[in-house]
């Protein structure tokens, strides 16, 4: 009998090339049981991100996992720019996903926020929320049922930049900038949060050594990711000047943290998020621990890139453990 998974997760996502990397890594990891996917705007509209979520599950042969469609716009602001310039017209690296792979697949008849509340309250202390997109669905879940905060096991998120510069403004990271009001609600709630922000994720790269391994592996997950990553690689080359096909491993850091938290180091700081002005969407951390009264967030600052890539290639390119 295989050992039971150590983490039951709801993956809150805007797929997205790096979202696909994270999801396929999770689906290949015995430590993780994916209870459901919740979708949100971000890398594209919620129509597109929901279609991509359904397609990823079809590709993975996991149409048993429910998808709950969530917010199509931020809580307060109008929908701003979406991320096709980073992820391609189909938000999946221009693999040509302009329709569903399995047209019969449907999201569940429930909003993402309702799905989160229902699952968390039915399994107190068991569910880990893994948001890797704007935090609108989590904020809505808190508004719908504030007791979710005390009933989740933890929140392990990709977003923010504690000490690093931003990636969509001088100070703001995309997922937080996408809905700063939601982010501020999420950081103020009484749940344990681990934040994999740009401090960590821009220090974790995969380059052509990994992408070619996946491409040549014959593993359908690895081969798909190697195809989808091309557009994302070009973006990283032109925008950041990264070489040898390197890309940042933003969203996969959340799953790697769940699998092996010893790969990462961080600090505990309370966070506030300005919702307007030039600092909109920044994650301001109280490093002196004197100014903000909200719960402290565990901000990951460093990681073992070799360890992350070892996990990635073992699980997605059928490379046996050394
Ligand atoms: O800033 C990186 C984040 O923005 C990732 O979650 C990526 O998928 C994009 O949504
Ligand atoms: Ca994402």
């Amino acid at each position: 009998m295989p050992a039971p998974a150590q983490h039951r997760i709801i993956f809150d996502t805007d797929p997205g090339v790096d979202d696909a990397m994270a999801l396929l890594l999770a689906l290949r990891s015995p430590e993780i049981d994916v209870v459901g996917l919740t979708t949100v705007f971000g890398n594209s509209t919620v129509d597109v991100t929901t279609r991509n979520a359904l397609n990823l599950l079809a590709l993975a042969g996991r149409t048993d996992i429910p998808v709950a469609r969530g917010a199509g716009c931020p809580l307060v602001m109008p929908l701003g720019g979406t991320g096709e310039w980073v992820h391609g017209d189909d938000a999946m690296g221009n693999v040509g996903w302009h329709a569903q792979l399995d047209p019969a697949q449907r999201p569940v008849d429930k909003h993402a926020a309702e799905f989160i509340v229902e699952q968390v309250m039915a399994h107190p202390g068991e569910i880990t929320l893994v948001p890797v997109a704007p935090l609108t669905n989590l904020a809505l879940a808190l508004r719908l049922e504030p007791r979710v905060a005390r009933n989740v096991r933890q929140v392990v998120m990709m977003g923010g930049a504690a000490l690093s510069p931003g990636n969509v403004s001088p100070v703001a990271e995309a997922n937080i900038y996408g809905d700063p009001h939601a982010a501020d609600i999420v950081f103020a709630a009484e749940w344990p949060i681990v934040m994999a922000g740009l401090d960590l994720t821009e220090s974790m790269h995969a380059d052509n050594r990994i992408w070619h391994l996946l491409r040549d592996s014959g593993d359908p997950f690895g081969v798909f990711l190697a195809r989808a990553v091309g557009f994302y690689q070009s973006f990283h080359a032109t925008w950041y000047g990264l070489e040898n096909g390197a890309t940042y491993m933003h969203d996969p850091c959340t799953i790697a943290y769940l699998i092996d938290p010893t790969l990462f180091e961080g600090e505990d700081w309370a966070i506030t998020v300005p919702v307007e002005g030039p600092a909109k969407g920044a994650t301001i951390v109280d490093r002196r621990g004197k100014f903000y009264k909200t719960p402290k967030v565990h901000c990951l600052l460093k990681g073992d890139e070799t360890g992350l890539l070892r996990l990635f290639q073992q699980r997605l390119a059928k490379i046996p453990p050394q």
Side-chain angles (χ1 to χ4, degrees):
M1 277 264 288
Q6 298 152 27
H7 302 282
R8 305 189 67 209
I9 72 166
I10 296 177
F11 190 64
D12 186 69
T13 179
D14 60 342
V17 175
D18 61 323
D19 303 66
M21 296 173 196
L23 176 63
L24 295 182
L25 177 63
L27 293 176
R28 273 286 167 73
S29 296
E31 300 87 350
I32 293 175
D33 173 18
V34 181
V35 172
L37 266 50
T38 49
T39 60
V40 65
F41 70 92
N43 288 325
S44 188
T45 63
V46 73
D47 285 346
V48 170
T49 61
T50 304
R51 180 201 66 209
N52 287 353
L54 293 167
N55 279 355
L56 285 166
L57 293 176
L59 176 97
R62 293 301 310 271
T63 52
D64 56 305
I65 297 176
V67 174
R69 179 189 158 106
C73 65
L75 291 183
V76 178
M77 307 178 324
L79 179 63
T82 45
E84 289 84 354
W85 59 296
V86 179
H87 296 265
D89 285 344
D90 58 2
M92 198 46 68
N94 290 337
V95 291
W97 277 5
H98 296 296
Q100 280 186 218
L101 293 179
D102 173 0
Q105 247 185 305
R106 291 274 172 277
V108 294
D109 193 15
K110 205 167 271 167
H111 190 281
E114 291 177 279
F115 181 83
I116 290 170
V117 169
E118 183 186 275
Q119 290 294 323
V120 169
M121 297 312 286
H123 306 283
E126 282 183 28
I127 305 282
T128 293
L129 302 178
V130 184
V132 293
L135 291 163
T136 321
N137 290 334
L138 268 68
L140 287 170
L142 282 168
R143 286 290 188 255
L144 203 58
E145 174 49 272
R147 290 178 302 161
V148 289
R150 290 196 179 273
N151 284 280
V152 296
R153 179 168 168 194
Q154 58 180 335
V155 177
V156 178
M157 59 173 284
M158 191 283 134
L163 308 177
S164 295
N167 61 0
V168 287
S169 89
V171 291
E173 182 281 329
N175 290 340
I176 306 299
Y177 189 86
D179 193 346
H181 296 85
D184 206 36
I185 291 169
V186 167
F187 286 126
E190 296 277 342
W191 45 18
I193 305 182
V194 177
M195 180 177 105
L198 299 179
D199 314 87
L200 171 71
T201 65
E202 288 193 352
S203 72
M204 305 292 250
H205 315 80
D207 68 12
N208 279 334
R209 186 185 72 78
I210 296 292
W211 301 122
H212 291 173
L213 258 177
L214 266 61
R215 181 193 65 192
D216 300 337
S217 67
D219 180 316
F221 288 18
V223 170
F224 173 77
L225 288 176
R227 181 157 73 97
V229 83
F231 187 92
Y232 197 59
Q233 288 178 301
S234 308
F235 163 76
H236 283 78
T238 48
W239 187 257
Y240 296 109
L242 298 193
E243 293 176 349
N244 194 29
T247 64
Y248 295 140
M249 298 293 278
H250 298 297
D251 294 351
C253 284
T254 56
I255 302 300
Y257 175 83
L258 288 173
I259 297 170
D260 187 358
T262 68
L263 296 174
F264 301 94
E265 287 173 40
E267 299 274 353
D268 293 341
W269 294 318
I271 295 180
T272 198
V273 179
V275 296
E276 57 191 8
K280 182 175 102 177
T283 40
I284 302 179
V285 295
D286 181 7
R287 294 171 71 185
R288 291 191 194 275
K290 293 184 186 302
F291 304 108
Y292 300 154
K293 300 289 173 243
T294 49
K296 288 186 175 166
V297 171
H298 189 57
C299 301
L300 301 180
L301 300 173
K302 277 202 268 183
D304 173 355
E305 185 185 73
T306 310
L308 169 83
L309 296 181
R310 196 181 301 121
L311 265 180
F312 204 67
Q313 70 189 47
Q314 279 170 3
R315 295 183 180 194
L316 296 169
K318 293 192 178 140
I319 308 287
Q322 306 286 312

